């Protein structure tokens, strides 16, 4: 397996709207990011992934792009962005940008033209169909609820939007459209960026004829995923994209791919096939969803998590590469989700970090994760901003679901949990803005903030710094093979990493009760050195039987 920089680096995701506001308008911006680059450098970050900063009407917080070659006014100017890139590179870090090309905004000039008439040259940049029996062309449901089709009076046809109705899907069957996309990518690459995170990139190839989904009793619209996820021409498009846009540059690519299996991911990330370097898959973050989807809450079963992460580790062991993440702008805060904020905030946050960062793959940290930011409980739906939350709330209220039940789901799974402003210090609005923030700050910022944790050597922040340093010091953490230990242990997630004759063993108590863990005899007889732990551990402590405290995590390096 080839050794390359993006395998050996740690990525930090910035959601610009909520990161840092420099001008007091309540919205994070590019100058705000620049002001915090030294903080990220001190943390040990090598790659910054910047969520969309392009021109956008902001129907879906920047994932609806109206001009791919310009910057959103709220975030600053192209000059600000160029300064950001220069400052990142000066510090020896890299920048990857979001690429959102499954859909554009309905305010993009292409779509404005496409709507004018059926024979407009831009018409075929989007997916249009006649209605059937006075209804939509098929019964697909949008990912944000409701129909995936919107009627256009001017031309008496519907256009497809797998997300918001202001996000019409682009027609990748059209070679002219594809050429526009590749030219735009090269425009950014020539500016000096270091790669792309590709939004829902495995949705770009749709099955011919756009067949309707299997009808479900009581549901007007159903998922059309079998007809647009990992579609028939997806590999062809990605290989063409690599050939036409990426091949001339030393860059990193990660494709966001809902519904992908390890076998499919192997094809996407096989270095010989030249598609993408790694994928974001969602299996492990869907394990606490019930049969009716993400809002249907169920507790995580540790056995499911072991099964899922292990199958991805083994599935991409010889061919391909994994991305490692707990959090992003679409996921609730991991310490609230799988940890214990009330009783073991510090310990559980560190345990979850250990479990992930010691695995094989490129780790991603989402802003605020490194200081232990938590989910938020706003009193009223009026305090929420996310289109997915607001659509779901409206739909469920109309269906007669009690408001307290809806709010309970939002508190656990809502995307705005990740989007409250970064808590920099204990001053007003957590130091994020001198104005009124676009979304409220989590009220716990007095207890949880960057200034406090940077000053505390035992904090979550310094633990993340240590994990990042260990990756730089020990090649085995990057390239070693993974094997699970005691798969059936109800409370402990433990595994080894092996590279040549070196070995690591990682042991994590996933719950708030004490437990013990027996190391297999062939491991416990070896020499061992403690690499990292989230409690004080006596160096002389034997490792044959490890007594683990609540949420305790340890990683040992073994030698003969």
């Amino acid at each position: 397996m080839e050794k390359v920089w993006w395998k050996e680096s740690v990525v930090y995701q910035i959601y610009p709207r909520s990161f840092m506001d420099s001008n007091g308008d309540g919205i994070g911006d590019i100058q705000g990011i620049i002001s915090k680059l030294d903080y990220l450098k001190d943390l040990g970050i090598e790659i910054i992934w910047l969520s969309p900063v392009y021109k956008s009407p902001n129907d879906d917080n920047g994932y609806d792009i109206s001009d791919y070659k310009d910057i959103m006014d709220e975030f600053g100017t192209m000059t600000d962005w160029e300064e950001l890139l220069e400052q990142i590179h000066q510090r020896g870090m890299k920048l990857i940008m979001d690429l959102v090309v499954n859909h554009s905004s309905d305010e993009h000039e292409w779509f404005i033209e496409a709507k004018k008439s059926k024979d407009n040259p831009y018409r075929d940049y989007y997916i249009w169909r006649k209605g059937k029996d006075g209804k939509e062309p098929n019964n697909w449901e949008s990912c944000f609820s409701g129909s995936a089709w919107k009627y256009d009076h001017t031309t008496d046809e519907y256009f497809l939007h797998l997300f918001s109705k202001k996000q019409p899907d682009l027609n990748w069957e059209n070679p002219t459209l594809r050429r526009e996309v590749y030219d735009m990518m090269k425009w950014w690459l020539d500016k000096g960026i270091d790669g792309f995170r590709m939004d829902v990139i495995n949705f770009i190839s749709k099955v011919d004829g756009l067949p309707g989904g299997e009808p479900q009793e009581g549901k007007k619209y159903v998922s059309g995923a079998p007809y647009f996820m990992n579609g028939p021409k997806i590999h062809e498009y990605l290989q063409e994209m690599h050939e036409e846009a990426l091949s001339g540059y030393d860059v990193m690519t990660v494709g966001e791919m809902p519904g992908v299996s390890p076998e499919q991911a192997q094809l996407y990330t096989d270095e010989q096939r030249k598609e993408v370097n790694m994928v974001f898959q969602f299996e492990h973050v869907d394990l606490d969803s019930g049969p009716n989807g993400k809002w249907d809450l169920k507790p995580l079963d540790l056995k499911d998590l072991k099964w899922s992460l292990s199958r991805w580790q083994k599935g991409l062991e010889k061919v391909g590469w994994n991305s490692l993440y707990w959090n992003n702008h679409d996921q609730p805060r991991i310490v609230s989700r799988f940890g214990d904020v009330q009783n073991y905030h510090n310990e559980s946050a560190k345990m979850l970090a250990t479990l992930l960062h010691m695995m094989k793959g490129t780790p991603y940290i989402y802003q605020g994760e490194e200081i232990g930011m938590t989910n938020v409980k706003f009193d009223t739906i009026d305090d929420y901003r996310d289109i997915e939350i607001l659509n779901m709330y409206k739909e469920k209220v109309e269906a007669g679901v009690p408001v307290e039940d809806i709010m309970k789901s939002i508190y656990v799974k809502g995307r705005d949990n990740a989007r409250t402003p970064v808590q920099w210090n204990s001053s007003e609005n957590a130091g994020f803005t001198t104005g009124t923030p676009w979304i409220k700050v989590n009220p716990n910022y007095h207890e949880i903030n960057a200034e406090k944790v940077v000053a505390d050597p035992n904090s979550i922040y310094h633990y993340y710094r240590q994990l990042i340093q260990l990756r730089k010091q020990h090649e085995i953490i990057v390239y070693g093979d993974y094997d699970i230990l005691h798969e059936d242990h109800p409370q402990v997630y433990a595994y080894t990493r092996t590279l040549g004759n070196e070995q690591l063993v990682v042991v994590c108590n996933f719950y708030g009760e004490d437990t013990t863990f027996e190391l297999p005899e062939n491991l416990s007889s070896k020499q061992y050195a403690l690499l990292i732990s989230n409690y004080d551990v006596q160096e002389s402590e034997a490792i044959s039987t490890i007594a683990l405290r609540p949420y305790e995590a340890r990683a040992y390096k073994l030698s003969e």
Side-chain angles (χ1 to χ4, degrees), residues 191-261:
K191 279 185 164 293
I193 69 167
D194 303 289
F196 291 105
R197 176 265 183 188
M198 302 174 179
D199 189 60
V200 293
I201 197 67
N202 64 328
F203 286 17
I204 60 176
S205 170
K206 278 76 169 173
V207 168
D208 279 351
L210 309 180
E214 196 63 41
Q216 289 175 22
E217 202 178 323
K219 288 199 80 173
K220 189 176 178 185
Y221 304 112
V222 299
S223 171
Y227 307 110
F228 60 73
M229 233 179 228
N230 308 303
K233 294 185 181 170
I234 184 63
H235 295 291
E236 186 185 314
Y237 292 155
L238 288 176
Q239 287 169 12
E240 181 183 78
M241 177 190 281
H242 184 276
E243 177 62 30
E244 297 294 327
L246 298 164
S247 58
Y249 306 86
D250 177 21
V251 293
M252 163 188 153
T253 53
V254 51
E256 182 195 30
M257 297 195 181
V260 72
S261 69

Side-chain angles (χ1 to χ4, degrees), residues 30 34 37 80-90 93-95 188 191-194:
I30 291 170
I34 292 170
L37 289 178
D80 292 322
W81 181 88
E82 285 162 351
E83 184 189 345
L84 172 67
L85 181 67
E86 187 184 347
Q87 294 286 337
I88 287 171
H89 284 165
Q90 272 180 15
M93 298 189 287
K94 294 179 187 288
L95 177 67
W188 284 102
K191 279 185 164 293
I193 69 167
D194 303 289

Side-chain angles (χ1 to χ4, degrees), residues 346 350 370 449-467 532-536:
N346 201 311
K350 290 176 179 178
E370 77 285 0
N449 63 68
E451 188 174 72
K452 192 173 173 180
V453 292
V454 169
D456 172 9
N458 294 317
S459 68
I460 296 165
Y461 167 87
H462 284 286
Y463 197 84
Y464 269 86
R465 279 190 77 194
Q466 203 180 338
L467 285 168
I532 192 167
S533 63
N534 61 349
Y535 281 86
D536 286 333

Side-chain angles (χ1 to χ4, degrees), residues 91-103:
R91 288 167 176 79
M93 298 189 287
K94 294 179 187 288
L95 177 67
I96 66 168
M97 295 283 279
D98 233 297
L99 181 75
V100 188
V101 290
N102 173 69
H103 45 263

Side-chain angles (χ1 to χ4, degrees), residues 485-486 489 492 494 507 516-521 524 543-546:
L485 294 173
H486 293 314
H489 196 298
V492 174
V507 183
T516 56
F517 186 78
E518 308 270 341
L519 263 196
E521 205 171 310
S524 58
I543 63 167
S544 50
T545 301
I546 303 175

Side-chain angles (χ1 to χ4, degrees), residues 129-342:
R129 292 290 184 275
K130 289 193 181 312
K132 277 188 183 165
D133 309 323
K135 294 201 298 258
E136 297 91 348
N138 68 29
N139 62 351
W140 290 3
E141 182 174 43
S142 150
C143 297
F144 292 162
S145 64
S147 173
W149 295 93
K150 185 165 190 282
Y151 181 65
D152 172 56
H153 286 278
T154 312
T155 56
D156 187 32
E157 285 192 341
Y158 290 81
F159 65 83
L160 180 68
H161 60 90
L162 293 178
F163 294 88
S164 151
K165 59 180 181 290
K166 285 184 66 61
Q167 291 169 294
D169 277 53
L170 291 164
N171 177 21
W172 274 72
E173 294 282 331
N174 181 341
T176 315
L177 175 274
R178 299 202 302 274
R179 163 69 44 218
E180 294 256 26
V181 169
Y182 306 149
D183 287 349
M184 174 268 290
M185 291 170 70
K186 285 194 288 193
W187 188 83
W188 284 102
L189 290 163
D190 288 339
K191 279 185 164 293
I193 69 167
D194 303 289
F196 291 105
R197 176 265 183 188
M198 302 174 179
D199 189 60
V200 293
I201 197 67
N202 64 328
F203 286 17
I204 60 176
S205 170
K206 278 76 169 173
V207 168
D208 279 351
L210 309 180
E214 196 63 41
Q216 289 175 22
E217 202 178 323
K219 288 199 80 173
K220 189 176 178 185
Y221 304 112
V222 299
S223 171
Y227 307 110
F228 60 73
M229 233 179 228
N230 308 303
K233 294 185 181 170
I234 184 63
H235 295 291
E236 186 185 314
Y237 292 155
L238 288 176
Q239 287 169 12
E240 181 183 78
M241 177 190 281
H242 184 276
E243 177 62 30
E244 297 294 327
L246 298 164
S247 58
Y249 306 86
D250 177 21
V251 293
M252 163 188 153
T253 53
V254 51
E256 182 195 30
M257 297 195 181
V260 72
S261 69
E263 294 71 30
Q264 290 165 322
Q266 226 182 62
L267 296 176
Y268 286 122
T269 64
D270 179 346
E271 290 168 20
Q272 305 306 312
R273 290 171 57 87
K274 304 201 175 339
E275 296 186 21
V276 294
N277 298 142
M278 61 191 109
V279 304
F280 284 137
Q281 52 87 15
F282 296 89
E283 188 174 88
H284 65 299
V285 291
D286 287 337
L287 295 172
D288 55 352
S289 299
N292 295 314
K294 77 180 262 185
W295 305 111
D296 180 11
L297 306 179
K298 72 165 195 180
L300 175 74
D301 184 330
L302 180 58
K303 284 202 300 294
D304 293 343
L305 185 70
K306 290 183 191 183
W307 169 82
S308 174
L309 293 179
S310 297
R311 92 183 190 116
W312 280 89
Q313 286 285 302
K314 298 309 282 183
L316 299 183
E317 184 172 84
K318 300 285 183 262
V319 174
W321 193 251
N322 270 301
S323 64
L324 306 171
Y325 77 94
W326 287 128
N327 297 280
N328 61 35
H329 60 288
D330 288 333
Q331 297 295 333
R333 294 281 179 184
I334 198 62
V335 69
S336 296
R337 191 175 189 177
F338 296 162
D340 181 346
V341 171
Q342 256 51 57

